Amino acid sequence: PSLPPSSLLPLPALAISPEAYQNAVLSLVLADMLTNVHAFITIVTNHAGDDMYKFSSGCTPNSPTFFVRQVISSVNFKTGSDWNDFMHGW
């Protein structure tokens, strides 16, 4: 099993102390978890509404129809304030 390249990022902290290395690894793990939660919340609220257009049949991947459906089924909506809009990627 190979390690992801990001696992090399905290290695310089090992020169300071083992505790610094552990803190760096923990910071990376927590940051990754927080990023994943934020991305999930952003994607779900922007792409899973009941008012979105739904298709009754499938289409060929990477076809012109596929890309038109990607555009038609996308949504962007104001969420109340500039800060909230920014956090939702609007």
Side-chain angles (χ1 to χ4, degrees):
S2 62
L3 294 173
S6 62
S7 64
L8 300 176
L9 287 174
L11 282 179
L14 198 54
I16 299 170
S17 71
E19 292 81 18
Y21 175 75
Q22 289 174 345
N23 286 336
V25 170
L26 181 62
S27 294
L28 278 176
V29 169
L30 292 176
D32 189 46
M33 290 170 55
L34 184 62
T35 300
N36 288 337
V37 168
H38 177 260
F40 175 79
I41 291 169
T42 301
I43 290 168
V44 168
T45 58
N46 277 323
H47 297 94
D50 287 336
D51 58 344
M52 288 182 56
Y53 191 83
K54 296 177 179 77
F55 300 96
S56 58
S57 62
C59 67
T60 306
N62 296 325
S63 67
T65 303
F66 174 82
F67 291 112
V68 168
R69 287 182 177 195
Q70 295 298 309
V71 173
I72 292 172
S73 295
S74 295
V75 294
N76 254 341
F77 59 92
K78 287 191 174 277
T79 57
S81 68
D82 287 340
W83 172 249
N84 212 9
D85 287 345
F86 174 75
M87 294 304 288
H88 279 83
W90 194 76

